[in-house]
Amino acid sequence: MAGESDYGAFTEKFIIQPSSSPDQELPLKGLTFAVKDIFDMEGYVTGFGNPDWARTHSAAMTTAPAVLAVLSGGATCVGRTVMDEMAYSINGENKHYGTPKNICSPDRLPGGSSSGSAVAVGGMLVDFSLGTDTGGSVRVPASYCGILGFRPSHGVVSTSGVIPLAQSLDTVGWFARDAGILNRVGRVLLQLPEVEPVKPTHITIAEDCFQLLSIPSHRVTSVLVKSVEKIFGGHIVKYACLGDYVKDNVPTLKHFKGERLEDQEYNVAPLAALSSAYRRLERSEFKNNHGEWVSTVKPDLGPGISERVWAAVRSTDENIDVCHSVKTELRAALTALLGVSIPLGTYDNLPVSISLLAKHGSDGFLLNLVETLYGTLKEQIDIAQELSY
């Protein structure tokens, strides 16, 4: 384990040089990166955040394609990072390896499950890092740690050689402090050509989601809106109630009406029901993937994680077909979701972020948009923070 000088981000440090000639001009040449301890790397045991998992598994025979891609792109790997045990939490804590230190707010959690990867970037220990995102495991720690985090469209970056949590939802994501590096890493992983940025036709703000914030919503939305107005013009900014849209376009959610679809403030009940369907699907696939190992080994798991894991192992697969239908309908309605977390400075000395979504398969467009907007966003952040003092 790494010491305090590494902010507790690493479980293991080593150097793996790029698999290309040093004379080649490559998109990631000269950059360093770290890898969440969920990716297979030839000759190393993938720990999955738990010593009992590491003890009962052999060293990987091959390296995950996502890791090979960034090595081939010219980047140097410097180690493996701490993660929540079995990736089954969003907090960023680990009782065995320690909780990585949130550089932005040292008395707060870093967010998980890709906690060490986020902290390694936030602490300027690496230029970028790889994580996984099933239900927010890149976007949440990016937000907590005040850095950029990207979850790509499901299925567009290979998850081969990555221990699954719930394969219907798992993606390979990445972190960076710099929007240009975020874009370059994405183009390598997504195998995208360099193209000129395309102007968005509209940017829709989900008003009902922002009403749930514990800070003034304008502190978040105004920064984005003013940046968009400056670059693209205010006419492309639209507003919508995401809860209503989901309720109208995902009819299978009626099966969850008895649970959480009743009327709630700001009409987020459909989103709560959507979350319930997601959790049920995640729990079922986790059980199918790891239930036998958990029942046989009875691993030592930290508080919170232990209860969640055993609840999944003892669960039934009730309504799983309905959950898959919800997922299919949502993708059809929204052309699926793709997200990127963008830091928007601080409020009350805590980091604030916003998440942008684009339709499935529009990853390159979104990466370019973030890079285009980011400079102006930082200007608007500075203005907003000055006005709040």
Side-chain angles (χ1 to χ4, degrees):
M1 283 194 323
E4 290 187 9
S5 61
D6 293 322
Y7 309 115
F10 290 90
T11 58
E12 190 176 8
K13 298 188 77 175
F14 48 76
I15 299 292
I16 299 180
Q17 297 290 349
S19 54
S20 50
S21 166
D23 297 327
Q24 286 182 275
E25 286 301 319
L26 295 167
L28 306 181
K29 184 177 180 179
L31 299 182
T32 59
F33 73 100
V35 179
K36 183 178 182 177
D37 194 17
I38 198 171
F39 291 83
D40 284 348
M41 299 180 72
E42 184 180 358
Y44 295 89
V45 176
T46 309
F48 206 22
N50 180 269
D52 287 324
W53 183 278
R55 175 178 58 79
T56 56
H57 289 79
S58 302
M61 301 296 289
T62 57
T63 298
V67 178
L68 289 175
V70 291
L71 286 169
S72 298
T76 298
C77 179
V78 300
R80 304 164 73 93
T81 56
V82 174
M83 59 177 283
D84 291 66
E85 295 175 78
M86 304 186 79
Y88 211 9
S89 176
I90 208 73
N91 293 335
E93 300 170 293
N94 190 301
K95 83 165 194 175
H96 307 285
Y97 303 112
T99 298
K101 186 176 182 178
N102 186 332
I103 312 303
C104 259
S105 187
D107 62 335
R108 302 296 181 108
L109 293 172
S113 64
S114 306
S115 55
S117 290
V119 168
V121 170
M124 295 189 279
L125 305 175
V126 292
D127 296 302
F128 70 93
S129 61
L130 299 182
T132 57
D133 190 314
T134 302
S137 287
V138 164
R139 291 162 292 164
V140 167
S143 173
Y144 286 11
C145 294
I147 59 174
L148 293 156
F150 195 91
R151 172 197 166 96
S153 301
H154 184 263
V156 299
V157 178
S158 173
T159 54
S160 177
V162 181
I163 302 174
L165 172 61
Q167 51 270 29
S168 293
L169 306 162
D170 293 342
T171 63
V172 170
W174 58 98
F175 302 92
R177 295 180 305 277
D178 176 85
I181 290 177
L182 189 84
N183 197 344
R184 285 156 60 191
V185 173
R187 296 198 168 274
V188 168
L189 288 170
L190 297 161
Q191 302 178 44
L192 295 174
E194 290 291 336
V195 294
E196 287 296 316
V198 177
K199 179 180 177 179
T201 56
H202 63 275
I203 290 179
T204 302
I205 293 176
E207 289 185 288
D208 50 335
C209 296
F210 285 101
Q211 287 174 329
L212 299 175
L213 290 173
S214 59
I215 66 173
S217 62
H218 71 270
R219 170 60 185 83
V220 180
T221 57
S222 66
V223 171
L224 176 64
V225 169
K226 288 177 181 177
S227 298
V228 170
E229 287 175 347
K230 184 173 181 179
I231 298 176
F232 303 114
H235 65 284
I236 70 169
V237 178
K238 314 293 182 186
Y239 295 85
C241 176
L242 186 59
D244 284 344
Y245 183 79
V246 168
K247 186 176 181 179
D248 293 342
N249 290 278
V250 186
T252 304
L253 275 181
K254 67 179 181 290
H255 293 282
F256 296 88
K257 187 172 183 177
E259 294 182 27
R260 307 175 93 168
L261 200 54
E262 65 278 1
D263 288 337
Q264 292 182 8
E265 190 177 12
Y266 303 130
N267 200 27
V268 296
L271 304 185
L274 192 61
S275 175
S276 181
Y278 155 78
R279 293 298 174 195
R280 190 172 296 180
L281 178 58
E282 179 187 57
R283 184 177 62 208
S284 173
E285 294 193 348
F286 179 89
K287 175 186 176 179
N288 292 336
N289 291 327
H290 307 303
E292 183 178 350
W293 179 83
V294 171
S295 298
T296 302
V297 174
K298 295 180 173 57
D300 179 16
L301 299 165
I305 294 277
S306 179
E307 291 82 354
R308 194 174 300 112
V309 164
W310 281 105
V313 170
R314 293 168 180 146
S315 67
T316 64
D317 285 345
E318 180 186 1
N319 283 343
I320 295 308
D321 288 343
V322 174
C323 295
H324 281 287
S325 295
V326 167
K327 180 174 180 283
T328 301
E329 289 173 4
L330 181 66
R331 176 170 291 201
L334 303 180
T335 326
L337 290 178
L338 173 154
V340 58
S341 182
I342 303 176
L344 296 182
T346 60
Y347 184 86
D348 281 347
N349 295 317
L350 296 174
V352 176
S353 291
I354 195 168
S355 194
L356 297 184
L357 311 173
K359 68 178 183 180
H360 186 272
S362 298
D363 306 78
F365 161 76
L366 189 54
L367 285 165
N368 279 336
L369 177 62
V370 171
E371 187 171 4
T372 300
L373 276 175
Y374 197 50
T376 305
L377 276 172
K378 288 195 286 188
E379 292 175 6
Q380 295 300 326
I381 291 164
D382 291 340
I383 294 170
Q385 292 186 158
E386 286 175 8
L387 291 174
S388 66
Y389 292 140

